Amino acid sequence: MVSERGLQVLRAIVQDYVDTREPVGSKAIVDRHQFGVSAATIRNDMALLEDEELIIAPHTSSGRVPTDKGYRVFVDHLADVRPLTSAQRSAIGAFLEDTGDLDDLLVRTVRTLTRLTGQVAIVQYPSFARANVSHVEVVHLGGTRVVIIVVTDTGRVSQRVAFLATEPSAEEAQQLKLAMAALLTGKSVRDGAAAIARILEEEAPAPREENRRIVLRAIGEELDEFRSDRMVMAGSATLARREADFRGSIYPLLEAIEEQVTLLRLMGEMVADDRGLATSIGRENEPFGLAEASVVAGDYDAGGSQARVGVLGPTRMDYPTNLAAVRAVAHYLTRLLEEDEKSR
C-alpha cells in the first residue's frame, strides 16, 4: 500500500519527469514542491515507491523515473482531469465548426487533437452497420459512366463512379435508379448488403442484366465499407521528434499506424471509466506489440453508434492534459454529430 504522501511524491516525480525528461531526485522534489518535510523524508518515501516498483533508478546514484506501473497508479489516482483553457476550447470550436461530411469532420478532429497534444491522434469511424439507407442515386454521366450515391440516416455519404458494360438509355438509367432505391431505401446497411449479396449469388448472369449487376456490386462494396472498422490518424511525424522517449525502436508503432488493425483491436478492448475515458500504458500494450507506447482514448456517440477518439505516444506523456484534450474533443464531436442528426 502506498501512503497519501507517497502518492503525492509519485505525482511530483511523474510531473517533473514529463516536464524535464530528467530523473528526479529528492532535493529537486523539496525545491519544486511544498511538502513541508526534509529531503531525507522524501528519500524514504521514494525508497518505498521503488519497493512497490512504481519508480526506478535508470543509473546508479541518479534520480528516479516512473515505471509503467507508476504511470498507471498516477493515472488511476488523478482526482480530476484538468479543464482545457478557454483558448484551447475556442481552438477546438473554430477548427471543427463548418465542416462538410463525416470524413471531413474526422480528419479535422485528428488534426485538432494532435495540435493540442503533440501526439499521434486517432479517431475511429463509427460502425454504420445499424444505420439505414435513406437515399440512393444513380446518375448517368454520359457514355458508360454513372455516379452512384448512397446516403444513410446517420449522415454517411458515399459517392463513386462506375463504368457500365454498355451505354444506358435514359430509360434504363432511370430504371436502375428506381430499382436500387426500391431495393435499399429504408433497409439497414447490414440488411442492404445482405440483399445485394443474395441477388448476385442467386441470379444467373445475363448479358442484358450486366449493367444492373455492375451497379449492385458497386453499391454492395460501398455498404461493406460502411460496416468496416476504419480510423483516421494525424501527427505520425511526432514519433520521430519524440524518439528519445522510447527505450527501443519506434518501428513497431509506425507499423501499427500503417496497418491500423492492431490499433483498432487495442482501442476496442480498452475499458473506459465512468467519464468515458480509457488509458492503456506501456506493458499493458505488450499483446499488441506496443509495449513502449501509451494510448489515451475517449468515447463519442454518432447516431446511437459509439466509437473512440484518442492519442498514441510514449509512456512519458502529459496524461492529465492529454486526457482533458481527448475528453473535450470527444464531447465536441458528439455534440456536432447530434446537431447534424437533428438538422436532417
Side-chain angles (χ1 to χ4, degrees), residues 21-32:
R21 199 184 268 111
E22 296 293 333
V24 182
S26 57
K27 185 177 184 304
I29 293 175
V30 170
D31 291 343
R32 294 173 188 158

Side-chain angles (χ1 to χ4, degrees), residues 51-63:
D51 289 342
E52 294 289 333
E53 299 180 341
L54 302 179
I55 59 174
I56 191 172
H59 308 291
T60 305
S61 301
S62 72

Side-chain angles (χ1 to χ4, degrees), residues 315-329:
T315 55
R316 193 195 74 86
M317 66 163 61
D318 186 346
Y319 291 94
T321 296
N322 291 347
L323 283 163
V326 165
R327 181 178 64 176
V329 169

